[in-house]
Amino acid sequence: MKKYIYILFVMNVLWGCDSYLEEAPSKSTNLPLETIEQLDALLGNYSYFYQDGSRNAVLCTDDWEVSKSLYDGYNGSAYRSMEIAQVSTWDVENTAYDGREYLWSGEYTKIFYANMVLYYLDAVTGSEEQKAELKAEAYLIKAYSYWLLVNNFCLPYDESTKNELGISLKNSVSFEESIARSTLEETYIEIENCLEEALKLKSTIVKGGTFRPWRGNSSAAKAFAARYYLSVNNYTKALQYANAALGEYSELFDYNSEMAFYESTVTVNNEEVEVNYPDTYNFTTSDILSYKEFYYARVSYHGYAWYVPSQTLMGLYDKDTDLRYKYNFVENYSYTRDRTGISYPGYVAMGMYNIPSGPTTSEMILIKAEAMARTGNWQDAMNVLEQLRIKRIDSNKYVELTANSQEEAVKLIMKERRIERPFVFTWYDYRRYNTNEVDYDDVNLSREFYPYNSSTVLNGEPLVTYELKKGDRKWARPIPNTEVESSLGEIKQNTY
């Protein structure tokens, strides 16, 4: 069988390479995959890999504000859409059919590209060392995507749920391969198998003098392993891999010296209103991909361009000392989305759409501290935590945190995780808190909001209470119904 690709979107991947790629294949209407450089170019096309886009991580926790007052005072679609109302109240009847759940198809597209590299490796020219690196990188992509999928569309994993539905495990480029969902236990076994292969990466994060976190590398694999093992409450391995990643690369962004404001105004009712962004608001794609804390350059993408912080979230920050509040919470941000509505802040990290979601050095410090604290070494864990805080707290007002017990230390570290990266960590953290060995960190969520039907928010009616409790089957978000239907029933929808 000749190794030719005629599928248009695959051609676009190969053609869309830019200066980040070391070598791109020549254009052809029938491009044969014959060389290792072509497969390298496929994985090097960062535009197909660097965005995640979990609407559940953005909307489904108490990082996101859901309130009558904000809904009533705001006129724009960036807050008043049916998608936001339904997803943020954990609806399962309508959200499977809204056509706006892109994570499933997006991550399976990445898995397809990874499988294509694995399929063609034996057929192309190139050294065994080059092939081994691309193989390991492809498995890192698969492990990462499987992890995102299982933590969005499946129940939290523990002994009681291991026989529940997992995700579809794809190991080839054949359209004849079964897409039936595995069990949750089989899914996690497959993630670990992929991770084991990914940990064979030998490429360093700095290659030829260039910082390259958009590509698979040894530090990225170790950092993702730390995240993975924390997510399944294996603190020993989480600590092992966090230490390993930090041992290879440990650069931190210092809010005291490397952050500034980008001053701007908007016109609201014929008056100029200040909206002062952090200078990271102007990050280009190149700036995002070269952000020095990244081990693996991935960002969470929110298409409504307004991360609406809850009053609860904002209340967690010491507003006088924490530079993360000073720079990342932009006053009057709502006016950029609706020039006639009310003033409300927005959370801004990298532009209006993106928040870093890939493994970072700051995350590794937090994983290291939490793993130490949960395994009893909580006094030293607090010292580790300060390695991050000293880069985030105003140096003129800096005071170390103190804890008097293991539980207090763990809770302080949990808080730091949340305020370090809201709209990214929180959803995944809540899932693992509800399946770990203690109950003092259990999470039950509730919101008061208007009732709604499939097409309209009934804002003339009394508020109702929406809940997402520990053990609720709604922790597994609905798979897009288009995927269920196109599979002819092979993909089973979650039951509630």
Side-chain angles (χ1 to χ4, degrees), residues 338-455:
D338 170 23
R339 303 300 173 89
T340 62
I342 61 175
S343 173
Y344 199 85
Y347 180 86
V348 173
M350 291 179 172
M352 63 176 61
Y353 295 101
N354 300 315
I355 298 177
S357 60
T360 59
T361 51
S362 57
E363 182 187 359
M364 291 307 105
I365 290 172
L366 289 164
I367 290 175
K368 179 177 179 178
E370 183 176 348
M372 291 171 66
R374 288 191 184 270
T375 53
N377 191 8
W378 55 271
Q379 294 96 335
D380 288 341
M382 295 301 296
N383 294 329
V384 171
L385 186 62
E386 295 308 316
Q387 297 171 16
L388 174 63
R389 294 187 71 253
I390 201 168
K391 302 291 187 179
R392 303 300 196 246
I393 305 301
D394 188 331
S395 58
N396 296 314
K397 302 175 181 179
Y398 176 77
V399 177
E400 288 188 6
L401 292 177
T402 59
N404 296 311
S405 67
Q406 180 183 22
E407 179 177 334
E408 187 176 349
V410 170
K411 287 181 175 179
L412 286 171
I413 295 165
M414 289 166 56
K415 177 183 175 181
E416 285 296 315
R417 280 184 62 85
R418 187 170 175 193
I419 63 181
E420 173 66 19
R421 194 61 72 218
F423 303 105
V424 174
F425 289 169
T426 311
W427 171 255
Y428 306 108
D429 283 346
Y430 284 179
R431 289 169 59 91
R432 66 183 175 89
Y433 295 160
N434 281 343
T435 58
N436 67 14
E437 70 287 350
V438 297
D439 58 11
Y440 60 71
D441 56 5
D442 288 354
V443 177
N444 295 292
L445 298 171
S446 66
R447 308 190 192 280
E448 283 195 345
F449 190 60
Y450 290 117
Y452 52 77
N453 54 36
S454 61
S455 59

Side-chain angles (χ1 to χ4, degrees), residues 157-203:
Y157 179 50
D158 63 14
E159 188 65 24
S160 68
T161 61
K162 66 181 184 180
N163 293 319
E164 294 278 358
L165 285 173
I167 58 173
S168 304
L169 300 176
K170 295 290 291 180
N171 292 306
S172 76
V173 294
S174 170
F175 293 104
E176 303 302 318
E177 182 184 13
S178 173
I179 53 177
R181 296 174 67 179
S182 63
T183 67
L184 203 49
E185 182 175 38
E186 289 167 342
T187 296
Y188 275 86
I189 290 172
E190 181 65 10
I191 295 173
E192 290 205 34
N193 289 340
C194 291
L195 186 53
E196 183 178 348
E197 293 295 325
L199 286 165
K200 296 176 182 178
L201 274 160
K202 297 186 184 303
S203 294

Side-chain angles (χ1 to χ4, degrees), residues 200-211:
K200 296 176 182 178
L201 274 160
K202 297 186 184 303
S203 294
T204 57
I205 196 168
V206 177
K207 186 174 182 180
T210 300
F211 180 55

